[in-house]
Amino acid sequence: STQADRIRIIPSPMTPMTLASRTFVHRAATTKYLSRCLFPCRRNLSSCSALFNPTEEHEALRSMLRTFVEREVEPQAHEHNKTETFNLPLFQKLGTSGLGFLGLTVPEEYNGTGFIDATAVAIAHEEMSYSDPGFCLSYLAHSILFVHNLAINGSHEQKLRFLPDACEGSKIGGMGMSEPNAGTDVLGMKSAAVYDDEKKGWILNGTKMWITNGTITGEETGDIFLVYARTGPKKGDVTQFIVEGGMEGFSVGQKNNDKLGMRASPTAELVFENVFLPEGTHVVGEVNGGMLCMMRNLEIERVALAAMGIGIARRCVDEMKAYAGERGAFGHTNLYSFGQIQRHVAESYTDYMAGKCYVYGLTNGLDLETHGNGLDSDGVKLYGAQMSKNVADRAIQVMGGYGYVGEYTVERLWRDAKLLEIGGGTNESHHKNMARDLRRMGINKLD
């Protein structure tokens, strides 16, 4: 059946957040009812609505996620940020037996939802980041860097073996690329795997750094990872491997604590000491073909990170305009009487809407099974990262001392937004990539 033919029940505002089916849902009447119940003050649909929610299924997805975030994600965000702890039980509610979002872009035969669609990915990351970007970052590492990556690049047998548990949430995954001395310079990696003829497999040695979901407990490694390592003498001789928690020689070097932001998302150094990886089951794609796997997944990763920036900015605009409307000063009943505040609110909304249009303008035409959209995947990430941090900064300025403390949320979002300028590609790497691509266009005119 097609996506439009499938039915998944959207919970009413008075029932628990559960799903009666594993396939994606939309009932138009239910969605309209939900919109009236959940968002009674929602403005009339603008001409941009079709861009942000191009189908009824996308609108249903957004409504479902917004309800889940309001009920489940928002109440726990502050505490898990404060304690630097990962909310595993909540994360598992996103699995197949709950909402079914851990395998959002995975075909149903591998226990996924089958919504193989870049706009759906953007909606999921925007909505979750509205309340808890740290929680969303762990979702991205699992659902995009591991699950989606394997769904695109893995063999049928690998997908059958590894994806069902990951989509269920009983196994938490991630991806290992960066190293202590190789971040943006990814081909400078030192981790290497050497083929063992007798064992019919690869022996992996090296270290990976800043790995999201690298550890859940702080002591043991996470459950499963896609790891890039050198496998030949040429610069591009890189291969992607599946490494499972519990494999001999695979351990946590350290948990990265006391981070500036994204504190509810666990980050760790992972160490590989003579880890044996069978050639028939744990090599993803072709040997020395890891760069293709990387490129196929990099674009949607950057789109997801850009969408996180949109969610952060939307929340900050909501917070600053609410505060400005309630706080009186100098004999005025609210802050909207002051030009400086007017500028902060108006420019923040404009920046947010420009970024959102850029993100969804790209995703509505993006094919998740191809690559070659690097210019704009870099572009949305570059714009979304800087924009979200700037909007969060303005929100703090509007709210003054209240914006500076954790109770009022925006200081956490400002800290979280900074990671978007570093992770998944630094601002400087996007500048380099975009300038290169624009130069290659030569005298060809932009559309």
Side-chain angles (χ1 to χ4, degrees):
S1 62
T2 64
Q3 284 184 2
D5 294 331
R6 300 190 193 118
I7 300 289
R8 170 175 273 179
I9 304 302
I10 298 176
S12 75
M14 300 304 293
T15 59
M17 181 61 66
T18 58
L19 293 179
S21 169
R22 286 173 40 208
T23 51
F24 188 77
V25 179
H26 178 67
R27 286 184 176 173
T30 307
T31 300
K32 292 176 182 177
Y33 171 72
L34 267 176
S35 297
R36 290 195 298 269
C37 292
L38 295 175
F39 317 116
C41 298
R42 188 178 180 181
R43 61 185 173 84
N44 292 331
L45 296 180
S46 71
S47 58
C48 292
S49 296
L51 184 64
F52 306 150
N53 301 300
T55 70
E56 290 182 340
E57 287 186 310
H58 291 107
E59 186 175 1
L61 173 67
R62 192 181 293 278
S63 292
M64 186 189 302
L65 269 165
R66 193 163 294 188
T67 303
F68 176 77
V69 168
E70 288 177 351
R71 293 179 182 173
E72 304 277 358
V73 179
E74 178 67 26
Q76 57 82 59
H78 178 73
E79 184 62 25
H80 282 275
N81 168 78
K82 185 177 179 179
T83 58
E84 291 190 81
T85 53
F86 176 60
N87 193 337
L88 179 59
L90 179 62
F91 190 84
Q92 291 175 328
K93 288 186 179 182
L94 296 171
T96 310
S97 60
L99 290 175
F101 292 150
L102 295 183
L104 185 65
T105 62
V106 175
E108 293 177 65
E109 65 177 310
Y110 306 118
N111 204 29
T113 302
F115 211 138
I116 306 171
D117 177 270
T119 298
V121 171
I123 289 171
H125 288 81
E126 179 194 341
E127 292 300 326
M128 277 190 267
S129 291
Y130 183 88
S131 284
D132 194 343
F135 180 79
C136 186
L137 187 68
S138 280
Y139 170 77
L140 185 154
H142 177 88
S143 67
I144 300 299
L145 302 187
F146 177 79
V147 171
H148 178 75
N149 190 332
L150 188 61
I152 294 295
N153 295 303
S155 67
H156 175 63
E157 292 72 23
Q158 288 170 331
K159 296 174 192 178
L160 284 175
R161 177 173 175 177
F162 298 112
L163 286 181
D165 285 346
C167 293
E168 175 64 35
S170 57
K171 293 286 181 70
I172 308 300
M175 184 268 287
M177 184 185 298
S178 295
E179 298 186 358
N181 294 303
T184 299
D185 180 19
V186 63
L187 291 181
M189 69 174 67
K190 301 299 182 184
S191 295
V194 177
Y195 188 74
D196 188 310
D197 288 310
E198 292 185 5
K199 293 184 176 181
K200 302 299 181 185
W202 295 81
I203 309 298
L204 174 63
N205 283 280
T207 303
K208 296 295 180 180
M209 193 68 169
W210 318 119
I211 308 306
T212 302
N213 299 341
T215 180
I216 304 302
T217 64
E219 299 178 358
E220 298 86 10
T221 69
D223 297 316
I224 190 164
F225 299 88
L226 292 173
V227 176
Y228 293 92
R230 306 202 66 81
T231 47
K234 297 178 182 179
K235 187 175 183 180
D237 285 348
V238 173
T239 302
Q240 185 172 227
F241 296 95
I242 298 170
V243 181
E244 299 180 76
M247 283 183 159
E248 186 176 355
F250 179 34
S251 64
V252 174
Q254 61 176 315
K255 182 177 183 288
N256 303 121
N257 292 312
D258 200 23
K259 296 180 295 184
L260 172 71
M262 302 293 184
R263 294 165 69 93
S265 175
T267 310
E269 176 188 40
L270 299 179
V271 178
F272 310 90
E273 297 178 303
N274 296 319
V275 178
F276 174 68
L277 303 169
E279 65 174 335
T281 55
H282 287 67
V283 177
V284 179
E286 299 292 330
V287 172
N288 295 330
M291 292 302 295
L292 178 60
C293 298
M294 195 183 297
M295 291 302 104
R296 284 174 173 168
N297 210 59
L298 201 56
E299 291 176 4
I300 191 58
E301 176 191 359
R302 289 175 174 171
V303 166
L305 288 163
M308 288 180 64
I310 302 305
I312 290 171
R314 177 161 60 88
R315 176 62 178 274
C316 288
V317 172
D318 280 346
E319 293 294 332
M320 78 168 86
K321 68 184 182 63
Y323 183 87
E326 296 171 356
R327 176 65 185 264
F330 298 102
H332 295 275
T333 58
N334 60 68
L335 301 183
Y336 282 110
S337 302
F338 304 99
Q340 302 98 320
I341 304 301
Q342 295 166 5
R343 177 180 177 181
H344 285 317
V345 174
E347 289 187 350
S348 295
Y349 174 77
T350 303
D351 289 348
Y352 152 69
M353 283 296 288
K356 191 165 184 173
C357 288
Y358 192 5
V359 167
Y360 288 99
L362 175 61
T363 62
N364 289 343
L366 192 63
D367 183 350
L368 291 183
E369 297 188 2
T370 65
H371 65 285
N373 299 281
L375 176 61
D376 284 312
S377 62
D378 276 292
V380 294
K381 165 71 161 47
L382 175 65
Y383 184 85
Q386 296 177 123
M387 178 274 295
S388 61
K389 191 186 73 172
N390 291 340
V391 170
D393 191 78
R394 292 192 198 113
I396 294 172
Q397 198 67 24
V398 167
M399 298 168 71
Y402 291 104
Y404 198 70
V405 297
E407 182 182 354
Y408 284 77
T409 306
V410 292
E411 65 84 27
R412 169 168 57 87
L413 297 178
W414 181 83
R415 291 187 286 106
D416 289 345
K418 181 60 189 177
L419 184 276
L420 303 181
E421 296 187 322
I422 301 170
T426 62
N427 288 353
E428 293 76 17
S429 71
H430 300 317
H431 295 153
K432 175 179 69 68
N433 295 343
M434 294 178 71
R436 176 201 62 209
D437 292 344
L438 290 166
R439 182 183 180 184
R440 287 174 179 172
M441 292 175 63
I443 63 172
N444 295 320
K445 305 293 185 182
L446 297 174
D447 292 336

